[in-house]
Amino acid sequence: MSERVIHTADLSRLENNINTLNDNIGVVSDQVNHVNAEVHEARATLENLIAEFQEFVRKDQLEKNVQLSETRLVKVRQELETNFGHYGDVRRRVTGILQAVDVSLVKKETIANSSEEQMLSAPRYWLAPCLIALSAWLNDNEELAEKAMREAIRRNDEKTSLFFALVTRRGARYKSSREWLDRYFGLQDPHNLEREIVILIDGFTNGIFGPDARAKTGKKISAWIDELSQKTGFVEEQHEQWKTALESRLPKLDDESYPFLRKYSPTWSGLQSSLEGAKLHKIIGEYFNDIFQKEVSPAKNIAFAVDALLDTLVSKFDEEELPLRSEERLLSLTIQENGDKSRAQQLFDNEKTTEKRVSFTQLLTNFAMHPDMSNASIATQKFSIALSKDWIKTAHDDITAENRAGIPLQVDLSINQWQGKTEDGSNEGELTGSLETYMVNRCDEALSKVKLDLKHWAALAGGVVFTFLGFGTTFLFVLAAFCFIYFYLGKKNLQTRKDSIIAEFDNLLSNSREILRACLAEVVDYRKEYKEEDENAVIVTEFLESISPEQYSFSSFDTARAVVK
Amino acid sequence: MRRRPLLNTQTNSKVNVKVDSSVETRTMVEYTGLSLDKRLRQKRSHTYVEAMAKLDAGGVQCKHGEVAQLIQEIKNEFPDLQPYQFPIGIIAKCYLGNEYDVHTLDTKLDIIRHYKKGEGVPTELARGKSLALHPGYEFIEVYTDTLRAVNLRGDVSIIKG
């Protein structure tokens, strides 16, 4: 019974259905592949779009930062003017009085009266009682002078001592000047110096305080360095400090250089930072050279020179103004760096010129690298560099070695999804071969996916069937003709698609070949440029070895030779 | 009444008079941290630089005696350091022929090896490879945490990490 059932069962329909299902699965699989390729394409486009959008947002943010900083900078300056503007009057009056006395144009009473007014208008300010003391001294009123001086010392001992050291030196009272200087020195700790020590060192390097004081200050400075050097890790700290200072001069490579490597090499960031690091040698070399090439042009006479120092002392070094001055500096740096806040903050942190107290060696670094901010003259810059030359040399050697260790030996290339590597661009033949093979394989893969659809095969089969049947029913020939035409068109379209794929890949290959050639040419240029820039390292070393601090403690207001031990 | 014993009168304690040959007779100050950094920054002696520059003088096959001599040179250069403070290896440019790239002295394994171009150098020494290839340095001392590049004059540059 069961046998009979099996014999009579007709499975051909089932088989046909399974075949159809199989064909349908094939069609779906092709469609999935097609969709997959499209998704890949869409993702690439989207990633480009995201990158462009992020770049747009970044640029917009930077522009806004610049605008905000500019607005804020105006406000900070206004605030400085409002809060500390009246200090300006006192400041101007100090040099005014000194100069008026020089030429004896103003009556002593006038000086006394106007000084007292200043005392009232600038409470808490150390310079106001100094002004009274000065005018009392000019009027031979010893009691008032001493009283005012005590008040000034109470308000700010360091600044007052330095102020009177300068004023007495201006009046050629050498003995008093020395005593005030000694007092000032006695108040200093080389680990934590007051910022206005700049004035003293500037005066000393320019020969303001005379030969005795110069020798004395020179010895004191040597003693400070000796004392500081006793500390474990001091020298290492100096190297780090100088490394930071030198690295703050790192240049930025312009966006137009090496456009192909920038776009097609995943190693680009490493290449870029190495080249920027190598370009640093020339910048530092030129920077130091420029300083030492500059002539020190001393002021016409001691009075002018001291006035300039007094002016700096009274206008740049007041702690009350420090927070606003720091903010002013940070905002200026943000504008200078085109809105890049983190870079501005980093530069600001490196400068350390607006800190309340600094170590002596930090001060030397500031003099040498940020003269505008630390108010150092050319003579002071020369002296600082000469005094720190061993530390600078070691720091520079370390930077150079780090840069040399970091340069990528292999340059990776990624052109239209093809990957390759080159060291110096000499393996062009090998890379071109690899690129061609890759593109041919990709083309073959793409061609293998281009097939006739099931409907075309069905049309062919239909055409054959209708032709046979057409002998019975003539109009079926028409249908057969339609089917054959449909099949023919499908076949023709297939060839067109294949031709277009081949053309597309030919195009891609020739384009990629051009890009590869350009990349390799850039690798050759890059290696050449890097080598040239790297060789400049020796300029810095040789220059630093040629200078000595003794040469650069400068004398302009006396004829005695400087003896710095 | 018992008398108070005099100091150092007990004679039963044995005095060890045996001299351990492995212990150096001079006083060793152990450097650590910043003082070790400072010591390792010191200029290298001319003899040491010369000795290390001749790493490939013995040809591709290096005899054991030559390795021992180089290790001795390191000991002489750093007599005040403990052996574990010595460089773990030295890497330098190889001048044996065009096909050679760099050579290394592995101080732990007492081995000198010459590497051909494209041949992989062990990771811990490979850190110094690009620096070793630079003509500005004679050789690179590789330590666990730093590289110290030594030039012909014996000046030392430090690369951290």
Side-chain angles (χ1 to χ4, degrees):
Chain A
M1 175 73 186
S2 60
E3 275 178 16
R4 196 177 64 84
V5 171
I6 289 169
H7 279 294
T8 55
D10 181 10
L11 297 176
S12 63
R13 264 185 73 157
L14 198 60
E15 274 171 20
N16 282 342
N17 282 341
I18 288 170
N19 282 341
T20 315
L21 191 65
N22 197 19
D23 290 343
N24 284 344
I25 287 172
V27 171
V28 170
S29 167
D30 282 349
Q31 281 170 344
V32 167
N33 281 342
H34 185 65
V35 169
N36 199 16
E38 279 185 352
V39 165
H40 274 294
E41 217 167 281
R43 189 188 288 163
T45 319
L46 195 64
E47 274 168 5
N48 274 345
L49 203 66
I50 290 171
E52 274 173 29
F53 178 71
Q54 280 172 341
E55 181 60 18
F56 171 77
V57 170
R58 198 182 68 86
K59 278 191 178 155
D60 185 58
Q61 186 61 48
L62 291 179
E63 271 171 30
K64 277 188 183 142
N65 285 348
V66 171
Q67 280 170 1
L68 276 174
S69 302
E70 279 169 349
T71 321
R72 182 80 195 122
L73 192 61
V74 174
K75 278 191 180 165
V76 168
R77 284 184 178 155
Q78 273 173 355
E79 216 171 317
L80 270 168
E81 184 55 36
T82 320
N83 295 348
F84 304 103
H86 55 287
Y87 285 11
D89 288 346
V90 188
R91 290 165 183 168
R92 277 191 291 278
R93 218 160 274 253
V94 171
T95 33
I97 288 176
L98 289 171
Q99 284 169 13
V101 172
D102 286 346
V103 286
S104 316
L105 280 178
V106 185
K107 277 186 276 179
K108 287 181 178 173
E109 295 78 41
T110 320
I111 294 174
N113 290 341
S114 72
S115 309
E116 280 159 26
E117 274 172 35
Q118 294 304 322
M119 181 76 190
L120 299 177
S121 67
R124 296 192 312 279
Y125 190 28
W126 65 275
L127 193 58
C130 283
L131 193 62
I132 305 268
L134 188 65
S135 66
W137 183 43
L138 294 170
N139 283 316
D140 291 329
N141 186 346
E142 193 182 336
E143 194 192 339
L144 180 63
E146 277 192 8
K147 220 160 113 184
M149 210 177 293
R150 269 199 294 278
E151 176 58 17
I153 285 174
R154 195 186 62 77
R155 289 187 184 184
N156 194 324
D157 204 348
E158 277 106 343
K159 285 193 181 65
T160 306
S161 304
L162 191 54
F163 175 81
F164 281 110
L166 287 168
V167 170
T168 47
R169 170 67 184 123
R170 193 182 191 280
R173 309 284 168 106
Y174 299 112
K175 194 170 166 284
S176 319
S177 174
R178 258 205 310 280
E179 275 172 26
W180 279 111
L181 266 187
D182 278 346
R183 180 183 175 81
Y184 179 73
F185 266 130
L187 293 166
Q188 300 304 316
D189 163 14
H191 299 276
N192 267 316
L193 292 170
E194 285 287 348
R195 290 156 64 244
E196 69 271 0
I197 188 104
V198 177
I199 309 293
L200 172 70
I201 296 176
D202 221 15
F204 145 70
T205 50
N206 284 295
I208 301 287
F209 295 106
D212 285 355
R214 190 141 51 80
K216 215 170 174 180
T217 316
K219 274 186 192 160
K220 191 86 195 169
I221 285 174
S222 302
W224 277 351
I225 291 187
D226 287 345
E227 186 191 330
L228 290 166
S229 303
Q230 303 292 321
K231 215 170 60 172
T232 316
F234 169 79
V235 177
E236 284 65 33
E237 194 188 317
Q238 294 323 300
H239 298 156
E240 285 305 312
Q241 204 163 295
W242 273 101
K243 258 174 88 177
T244 316
L246 297 179
E247 278 169 348
S248 71
R249 301 264 153 183
L250 266 174
K252 268 187 190 168
L253 213 58
D254 67 80
D255 290 347
E256 264 98 68
S257 53
Y258 302 102
F260 286 93
L261 286 180
R262 197 179 283 272
K263 198 168 174 191
Y264 297 103
S265 172
T267 330
W268 173 246
S269 62
L271 293 170
Q272 185 180 12
S273 57
S274 294
L275 188 57
E276 284 171 350
K279 280 179 182 286
L280 184 65
H281 306 313
K282 201 173 172 192
I283 293 173
I284 296 172
E286 279 174 2
Y287 177 73
F288 285 156
N289 236 323
D290 276 357
I291 294 172
F292 280 81
Q293 291 290 322
K294 272 185 203 158
E295 288 273 322
V296 177
S297 47
K300 280 181 211 154
N301 58 38
I302 187 84
F304 279 108
V306 174
D307 284 353
L309 288 182
L310 278 175
D311 198 41
T312 322
L313 170 68
V314 296
S315 58
K316 311 263 183 189
F317 294 95
D318 271 305
E319 274 104 55
E320 283 179 78
E321 301 173 35
L322 211 54
L324 283 174
R325 293 227 179 262
S326 299
E327 196 178 343
E328 187 192 6
R329 180 63 188 155
L330 184 59
L331 290 168
S332 306
L333 284 172
T334 313
I335 297 167
Q336 180 197 307
E337 291 302 311
N338 297 322
D340 188 342
K341 276 190 170 181
S342 57
R343 170 109 183 117
Q345 185 67 48
Q346 194 193 341
L347 286 176
F348 180 77
D349 293 342
N350 289 349
E351 282 185 0
K352 290 189 180 159
T353 47
T354 45
E355 280 185 6
K356 196 175 169 194
R357 279 168 179 270
V358 284
S359 81
F360 179 60
T361 50
Q362 177 68 56
L363 206 69
L364 292 179
T365 319
N366 290 350
F367 286 157
M369 301 306 286
H370 311 289
D372 301 342
M373 287 308 297
S374 58
N375 300 295
S377 68
I378 295 288
T380 306
Q381 266 184 285
K382 289 186 183 184
F383 175 72
S384 308
I385 294 168
L387 211 58
S388 317
K389 66 167 197 168
D390 289 339
W391 304 326
I392 305 177
K393 191 181 159 291
T394 311
H396 177 254
D397 284 351
D398 282 2
I399 292 177
T400 309
E402 265 171 32
N403 183 270
R404 287 170 179 170
I407 186 167
L409 289 177
Q410 295 271 8
V411 178
D412 293 341
L413 297 171
S414 172
I415 302 166
N416 295 323
Q417 294 167 34
W418 167 82
Q419 315 274 340
K421 276 177 201 286
T422 182
E423 203 167 298
D424 51 10
S426 59
N427 54 342
E428 186 177 342
E430 180 199 321
L431 290 179
T432 313
S434 154
L435 177 72
E436 280 167 1
T437 317
Y438 174 80
M439 287 301 172
V440 167
N441 288 345
R442 257 181 75 184
C443 181
D444 289 347
E445 201 183 317
L447 286 176
S448 70
K449 283 180 188 160
V450 181
K451 287 177 189 161
L452 277 182
D453 292 341
L454 187 70
K455 56 191 178 189
H456 295 107
W457 292 114
L460 180 66
V464 174
V465 172
F466 288 135
T467 309
F468 280 114
L469 296 175
F471 291 107
T473 324
T474 325
F475 89 96
L476 286 177
F477 278 127
V478 181
L479 278 181
F482 273 120
C483 286
F484 281 127
I485 290 168
Y486 184 74
F487 177 76
Y488 171 75
L489 287 177
K491 189 93 176 155
K492 199 178 166 197
N493 184 34
L494 186 77
Q495 196 51 49
T496 320
R497 270 164 64 200
K498 279 188 175 173
D499 288 347
S500 103
I501 286 173
I502 290 168
E504 196 183 303
F505 271 97
D506 275 350
N507 205 8
L508 191 67
L509 176 62
S510 72
N511 180 256
S512 305
R513 223 187 267 136
E514 289 300 311
I515 295 171
L516 174 64
R517 220 167 277 151
C519 285
L520 294 177
E522 281 190 0
V523 170
V524 175
D525 290 348
Y526 175 89
R527 294 287 187 207
K528 195 170 155 232
E529 189 181 0
Y530 180 85
K531 192 167 174 276
E532 282 167 7
E533 296 289 351
D534 180 65
E535 278 165 3
N536 288 331
V538 75
I539 299 175
V540 181
T541 317
E542 281 171 3
F543 172 76
L544 287 170
E545 276 168 2
S546 70
I547 54 174
S548 73
E550 289 79 6
Q551 267 170 282
Y552 297 104
S553 56
F554 179 76
S555 159
S556 63
F557 299 109
D558 58 70
T559 50
R561 266 187 326 127
V563 184
V564 180
K565 282 180 186 171
Chain B
M1 197 176 128
R2 253 184 98 189
R3 285 182 65 192
R4 197 163 61 95
L6 288 169
L7 285 173
N8 296 329
T9 48
Q10 286 190 335
T11 51
N12 56 352
S13 65
K14 282 183 185 169
V15 180
N16 188 3
V17 288
K18 196 183 151 202
V19 179
D20 186 350
S21 59
S22 68
V23 178
E24 303 263 349
T25 42
R26 75 177 153 263
T27 349
M28 301 272 278
V29 181
E30 186 159 343
Y31 293 102
T32 50
L34 289 168
S35 57
L36 179 64
D37 280 353
K38 197 174 178 175
R39 171 66 187 89
L40 290 172
R41 168 77 82 173
Q42 273 177 21
K43 204 173 171 137
R44 303 292 185 258
S45 72
H46 185 62
T47 35
Y48 175 69
V49 176
E50 287 264 288
M52 291 302 149
K54 284 181 194 157
L55 264 174
D56 49 8
V60 183
Q61 297 300 322
C62 199
K63 288 169 200 133
H64 184 70
E66 284 158 5
V67 182
Q69 199 185 332
L70 288 173
I71 304 271
Q72 187 55 44
E73 289 289 348
I74 298 178
K75 280 184 189 162
N76 294 346
E77 186 65 14
F78 307 113
D80 44 356
L81 295 191
Q82 303 291 342
Y84 64 84
Q85 293 171 326
F86 292 166
I88 54 170
I90 283 172
I91 179 163
K93 189 170 166 58
C94 190
Y95 295 98
L96 279 175
N98 260 344
E99 73 270 33
Y100 287 99
D101 202 8
V102 287
H103 49 229
T104 59
L105 164 65
D106 190 320
T107 51
K108 276 186 201 155
L109 302 171
D110 292 2
I111 291 175
I112 292 181
R113 247 201 92 177
H114 302 271
Y115 292 87
K116 289 186 176 171
K117 280 179 183 155
E119 206 180 338
V121 180
T123 333
E124 50 180 13
L125 296 177
R127 289 187 289 138
K129 188 177 168 182
S130 59
L131 214 51
L133 291 172
H134 195 280
Y137 306 104
E138 284 301 294
F139 58 89
I140 315 299
E141 293 174 356
V142 182
Y143 296 80
T144 43
D145 55 344
T146 47
L147 295 174
R148 282 164 209 265
V150 182
N151 68 11
L152 187 61
R153 295 191 300 175
D155 294 329
V156 183
S157 304
I158 300 177
I159 302 100
K160 291 203 172 110

